[in-house]
Amino acid sequence: MHLSRFPRLHFAHLPTPLEPMPRISEHLGGPNLWIKRDDCTGLSSGGNKTRKLEFLMADAVERGADTIITQGATQSNHARQTCAAAARLGHECHILLEDRTGYHDEAYAYNDNVLLDQLHGASISVRPADSDMNAEMEQLAQKLRDDGKKPYLIPGGGSNEIGALGYVNAALETTVQANERSLRIDHFVHATGSAGTQAGLVVGFEAMNSKIPVYGISVRAAKEKQEANVHGLAQRTADFMDINPDLITAEKIVANSDYVGDGYGLPTASMVEAVTMLAQYEGILLDPVYSGKGFAGLIDLIRKGHFNKGENVVFLHTGGSVSLFAYPKVFDLPGYV
Ligand SMILES: *Cc1c(COP(=O)(O)O)cnc(C)c1O
């Protein structure tokens, strides 16, 4: 697999560490848990979108763009990392934020990712829940073109076949790390949303014949819809790389939507438990919207005996912990006297 065939900029801190989690493994009494630290990709406090943006921003540069447009939910980690990448390249950046949760308190609506978007110099504009965000982006792009700009549109989550290359690369990186330390990875688990992370991983592991099954914990869509989204994007990504898309069969795409709760970005009790447990057993910060729900799913699957003792399970930490501060009242904390 020769990813240098595709334009890429290098601004992520790679490879990210692959670390054992002995205390939480012992506490849960199931498989050996490891964590792949994509919260440590470096750009504006890190996260999984940085890997995708290395390929997306390179494409933007190749096409002569001077302005970047993307969209996400109010506390979008993707928007924040895109603003930072655009700042590095000296590009103008416009962010459309969808009011998906309906939260308007100060911490959620102005702080954390929203604060950082602005600090990176982006202009932000908000749209109501369930807006057609792609149409909104296209409308803004036309206005900017009329003003003489050359906008480049990045889809929500950076999830298209170009962005997914970032996770094809992550599959390559993880397989090399595992081989170097003779670690046999039996399962690879992570939170899945806009599908680019899982699609890239499945294609990358397939292309290297790694035989590492990927298990996505959905943070929004129901199982069937999420699997169809991931499958479609994985096949398009394979095709884009001249890999036979028929190799990406439906049974290689697994998503579980049991841990979404009431909806995207809405807290669940199991997320609170997962975030608190990882903070207190491993000193690692998850986030309330993605990795917290993903790890909650992993905890529940372990308790249900889904994995065998002695198996090695890698959890991909996709980042997002800055949004913890947007949910200050959700955690049951002791306070102080
Ligand atoms: C975007 C995001 C995800 C989901 O990745 P997708 O490629 O959109 O499926 C997971 N975790 C965090 C912290 C994210 O920001």
Side-chain angles (χ1 to χ4, degrees):
M1 203 165 55
H2 190 201
L3 281 169
S4 325
R5 294 192 292 124
F6 302 96
R8 177 179 174 191
L9 297 169
H10 291 266
F11 44 72
H13 295 181
L14 303 179
T16 58
L18 175 61
E19 301 172 331
M21 297 200 289
R23 277 216 344 122
I24 206 159
S25 301
E26 191 190 345
H27 175 66
L28 290 167
N32 306 316
L33 297 177
W34 292 70
I35 191 160
K36 173 72 172 154
R37 298 293 302 272
D38 276 13
D39 56 322
C40 300
T41 52
L43 186 70
S44 183
S45 88
N48 64 338
K49 303 313 181 303
T50 301
R51 288 188 188 269
K52 302 177 183 184
L53 286 162
E54 288 196 329
F55 290 92
L56 289 161
M57 296 303 274
D59 188 50
V61 169
E62 283 240 321
R63 290 169 191 271
D66 57 16
T67 302
I68 305 297
I69 305 174
T70 197
Q71 57 100 354
T74 306
Q75 282 292 337
S76 168
N77 303 301
H78 163 67
R80 182 234 318 149
Q81 289 161 85
T82 303
C83 296
R88 274 183 85 122
L89 294 173
H91 288 178
E92 206 174 289
C93 188
H94 296 262
I95 299 296
L96 299 180
L97 296 179
E98 180 192 355
D99 179 17
R100 213 179 282 168
T101 58
Y103 291 165
H104 298 127
D105 58 285
E106 180 145 345
Y108 188 86
Y110 301 102
N111 212 334
D112 312 310
N113 282 305
V114 183
L115 181 149
L116 297 179
D117 295 344
Q118 296 172 75
L119 200 54
H120 290 305
S123 52
I124 303 179
S125 132
V126 176
R127 298 288 183 275
D130 301 319
S131 298
D132 181 344
M133 296 301 283
N134 290 329
E136 295 289 334
M137 282 207 295
E138 195 39 64
Q139 218 171 3
L140 173 60
Q142 195 49 53
K143 202 148 82 189
L144 291 165
R145 280 186 209 110
D146 293 345
D147 290 345
K149 304 280 184 194
K150 292 189 184 127
Y152 181 85
L153 279 68
I154 297 181
S159 284
N160 58 17
E161 55 273 41
I162 298 172
L165 293 178
Y167 272 88
V168 173
N169 186 47
L172 179 66
E173 180 183 301
T174 306
T175 304
V176 169
Q177 279 175 319
N179 290 342
E180 277 168 356
R181 62 183 74 176
S182 297
L183 171 69
R184 187 198 68 241
I185 300 175
D186 298 297
H187 304 273
F188 197 88
V189 179
H190 68 95
T192 179
S194 66
T197 300
Q198 190 169 1
L201 288 168
V202 169
V203 172
F205 285 138
E206 179 64 33
M208 282 178 296
N209 197 26
S210 301
K211 305 210 184 297
I212 298 173
V214 180
Y215 195 105
I217 313 266
S218 176
V219 299
R220 188 178 187 193
K223 176 182 172 68
E224 293 70 27
K225 185 176 176 201
Q226 188 65 16
E227 288 178 344
N229 288 347
V230 174
H231 195 200
L233 181 53
Q235 291 198 314
R236 290 198 299 282
T237 304
D239 194 42
F240 185 60
M241 298 179 69
D242 300 316
I243 294 167
N244 180 2
D246 294 341
L247 289 171
I248 313 297
T249 53
E251 72 269 10
K252 288 175 184 149
I253 310 293
V254 178
N256 178 331
S257 55
D258 292 348
Y259 308 96
V260 177
D262 290 335
Y264 174 90
L266 306 180
T268 60
S270 64
M271 175 280 289
V272 170
E273 183 196 21
V275 170
T276 309
M277 199 189 282
L278 211 64
Q280 297 187 357
Y281 278 85
E282 299 290 345
I284 293 173
L285 298 174
L286 296 173
D287 82 283
V289 181
Y290 294 94
S291 56
K293 286 185 178 175
F295 201 73
L298 177 54
I299 291 171
D300 189 56
L301 291 168
I302 291 169
R303 287 176 176 156
K304 286 177 170 156
H306 182 86
F307 307 104
N308 297 322
K309 229 180 151 78
E311 283 190 323
N312 296 306
V313 177
V314 176
F315 180 73
L316 174 68
H317 190 336
T318 40
S321 65
V322 295
S323 74
L324 276 172
F325 307 105
Y327 292 82
K329 306 240 167 69
V330 166
F331 296 91
D332 183 22
L333 303 173
Y336 55 86
V337 287

